[in-house]
């Protein structure tokens, strides 16, 4: 008798808890974020962990050059994808520019050029010290917390999402985010992004299939 009563209590608790969780998820879906984000290009859009005066995002790549005289060789190259911001760059001294140009990386907090690998990384400048941001952990340390929209957009982009709509919350942000696996599937998810960088998927909103791979 005691076991039957205990089983009933546990079952009732589970049903109530599961029902509450289901209602919570439904409420999340019923009130989707609607604010549209416009990409920031100024340094002031970021609340960085130190007194950085400039930062930019680069993509590096490797080109194989074949020569009839030898077996060929790989050449390293890179390009600037984003400057934060151009006005700040124009105010740098020749020495500071030289310091920026003197650093590179073969690792990144993101990557491009599938199926090949082109690392995407950041280069920032303190007063007289260049800093390379070449992993997700170093990007998070660079931001300190995800507490501006510019940081939110860049952080989820480094985690295979792109920002569609957003809503600010006490813990961080609710986001409708696009994703694409570059090989047959893309869609939208509702996610929560916490200030410590944690990303929690709440619900898959849509999924679409296509035929090609990048």
């Amino acid at each position: 008798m005691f076991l039957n009563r205990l089983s009933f209590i546990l079952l009732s608790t589970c049903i109530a808890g599961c029902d509450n969780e289901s209602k919570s998820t439904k409420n999340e879906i019923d009130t989707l974020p609607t604010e549209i984000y416009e990409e920031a290009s100024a340094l002031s859009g970021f609340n960085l962990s130190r007194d950085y005066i400039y930062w930019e995002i680069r993509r590096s790549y490797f080109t194989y050059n074949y020569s009839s005289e030898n077996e060929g060789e790989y050449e390293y190259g890179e390009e600037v994808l984003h400057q934060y911001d151009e006005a700040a760059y124009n105010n740098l001294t020749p020495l500071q520019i030289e310091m920026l140009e003197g650093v590179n990386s073969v690792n990144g907090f993101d990557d491009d050029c599938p199926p090949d690998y082109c690392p995407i990384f950041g280069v920032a400048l303190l007063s007289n010290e260049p800093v390379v941001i070449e992993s997700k952990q170093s990007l998070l340390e660079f931001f300190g917390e995800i507490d501006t929209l510019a940081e939110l957009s860049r952080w989820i982009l480094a985690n295979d999402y792109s920002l569609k709509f957003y809503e600010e919350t006490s813990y961080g942000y609710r986001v409708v985010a696009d994703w694409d696996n570059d090989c047959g599937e893309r869609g939208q998810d509702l996610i929560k992004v916490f200030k410590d960088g944690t990303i929690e998927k709440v619900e898959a909103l849509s999924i679409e299939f296509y035929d090609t791979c990048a």
Side-chain angles (χ1 to χ4, degrees), residues 102-115:
V103 294
N104 53 49
S105 179
V106 295
N107 299 305
F109 56 74
D110 202 354
D111 63 88
D112 202 357
C113 313

Side-chain angles (χ1 to χ4, degrees), residues 87-198:
Y89 180 84
N90 291 335
N91 287 327
L92 298 178
T93 67
L95 177 59
Q96 289 171 328
I97 292 176
E98 184 179 343
M99 286 189 294
L100 280 175
E101 293 177 348
V103 294
N104 53 49
S105 179
V106 295
N107 299 305
F109 56 74
D110 202 354
D111 63 88
D112 202 357
C113 313
D116 297 324
Y117 176 70
C118 295
I120 295 174
F121 62 99
V123 178
L125 190 66
L126 295 166
S127 179
N128 283 297
E129 178 189 351
V131 176
V132 181
I133 307 151
E134 54 185 357
S135 68
K136 287 183 174 61
Q137 182 59 38
S138 63
L139 180 64
L140 188 57
E141 290 171 357
F142 177 66
F143 289 154
E145 285 189 335
I146 308 302
D147 55 3
T148 75
L149 293 174
E151 293 171 358
L152 170 68
S153 177
R154 178 48 56 184
W155 178 244
I156 68 170
L157 196 60
N159 286 275
D160 303 320
Y161 280 116
S162 60
L163 181 55
K164 184 72 173 179
F165 304 109
Y166 74 92
E167 174 186 275
E168 295 189 47
T169 68
S170 59
Y171 56 77
Y173 301 91
R174 293 172 71 239
V175 175
V176 173
D178 292 333
W179 59 269
D180 191 329
N181 70 359
D182 294 324
C183 198
E185 296 179 2
R186 59 184 167 227
Q188 279 189 352
D189 289 346
L190 175 64
I191 62 175
K192 293 180 178 179
V193 182
F194 295 83
K195 292 179 181 179
D196 68 357
T198 300

Side-chain angles (χ1 to χ4, degrees), residues 40-58:
S41 60
L43 187 66
S44 59
F46 298 85
N47 182 23
L48 302 176
S49 59
R50 299 177 68 185
D51 294 328
Y52 295 96
I53 59 176
Y54 173 77
W55 85 289
E56 65 186 29
I57 295 175
R58 301 178 187 174

